[in-house]
């Protein structure tokens, strides 16, 4: 993976743009999603989302926070996360599954995945630009039924790191 792509992926996680990834970034992402879909933090869906954000952060820290200071710098991200996901993108993506599952529940009240339009709102709330978000979601909905399943979302997350754009 080249430097520009690594920088873009790092920036996606560094939601507040302060130069490192930490727990706050994952909580910011959860808050942004709750605000976008007008869901309170106290309800079951809100609590599930924060639990997923915590698990996602713990997974990321376990992989990439080499010096254990509860911050993942760009250098740690490159040597830790990027190497790990190159070896096994599916396993890397599993650290995101509880968060992604909870995000789907927040974005869509019906069972069985999330509507394409709602999935696009999720990505935009997380700071992905409109055009990129639309393309990403369209590519996830392989069978074109207008919905994206949890597995499709997790797989898309893995591909996001491994497939050249
Ligand atoms: Ca940050
Ligand atoms: Ca660190």
């Amino acid at each position: 993976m080249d430097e520009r792509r690594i920088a873009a992926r790092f920036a996606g996680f560094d939601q507040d743009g302060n130069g490192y990834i930490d727990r706050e970034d994952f909580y910011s992402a959860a808050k942004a999603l709750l605000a976008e879909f007008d869901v309170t933090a106290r309800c079951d869906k809100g609590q599930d989302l924060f639990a997923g954000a915590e698990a996602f952060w713990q997974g990321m820290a376990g992989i990439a926070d080499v010096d254990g200071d509860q911050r993942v710098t760009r250098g740690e991200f490159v040597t830790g996360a990027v190497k790990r996901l190159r070896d096994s993108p599916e396993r890397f993506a599993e650290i995101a599954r509880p968060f992604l599952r909870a995000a789907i529940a927040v974005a869509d009240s019906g069972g069985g995945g999330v509507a394409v339009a709602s999935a696009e709102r999720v990505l935009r709330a997380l700071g992905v630009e409109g055009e990129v978000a639309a393309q990403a979601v369209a590519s996830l909905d392989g069978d074109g039924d207008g919905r994206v399943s949890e597995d499709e979302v997790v797989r898309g997350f893995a591909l996001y790191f491994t497939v050249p754009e």
Side-chain angles (χ1 to χ4, degrees), residues 13-22 24-25:
F13 281 109
D14 182 14
Q15 288 273 311
D16 60 11
N18 65 354
Y20 54 83
I21 301 166
D22 70 1
E24 269 310 303
D25 292 310

Side-chain angles (χ1 to χ4, degrees), residues 65-73 76:
D65 183 19
V66 178
D67 63 4
D69 70 348
Q70 301 292 304
R71 296 175 175 185
V72 174
T73 62
E76 287 177 321

Side-chain angles (χ1 to χ4, degrees), residues 27-114:
Y27 280 60
S28 299
K31 285 178 198 158
L33 285 183
L34 292 180
E36 172 68 24
F37 292 96
D38 207 18
V39 173
T40 68
R42 271 165 302 158
C43 72
D44 287 349
K45 285 180 180 178
Q47 292 189 6
D48 284 350
L49 190 63
F50 279 104
E54 176 66 23
F56 197 172
W57 157 245
Q58 293 289 343
M60 173 66 78
I63 289 170
D65 183 19
V66 178
D67 63 4
D69 70 348
Q70 301 292 304
R71 296 175 175 185
V72 174
T73 62
R74 187 187 291 199
E76 287 177 321
F77 184 73
V78 172
T79 54
V82 175
K83 181 179 181 303
R84 179 72 65 92
L85 65 88
R86 193 183 290 140
D87 296 342
S88 176
E90 292 79 13
R91 260 182 59 201
F92 179 81
E94 287 302 320
I95 70 171
R97 187 183 286 273
F99 179 77
L100 297 174
R101 176 184 297 152
I104 287 171
V106 164
D108 202 89
S109 50
V114 62

Side-chain angles (χ1 to χ4, degrees), residues 87-152:
D87 296 342
S88 176
E90 292 79 13
R91 260 182 59 201
F92 179 81
E94 287 302 320
I95 70 171
R97 187 183 286 273
F99 179 77
L100 297 174
R101 176 184 297 152
I104 287 171
V106 164
D108 202 89
S109 50
V114 62
V116 162
S118 298
E120 213 178 304
R121 281 175 67 194
V122 168
L123 291 182
R124 288 186 192 186
L126 297 179
V128 180
E129 283 168 35
E131 187 78 353
V132 178
Q135 285 174 5
V137 171
S139 71
L140 290 181
D141 180 22
D143 59 6
D145 69 349
R147 298 186 71 78
V148 183
S149 72
E150 179 182 312
D151 280 337
E152 284 173 330

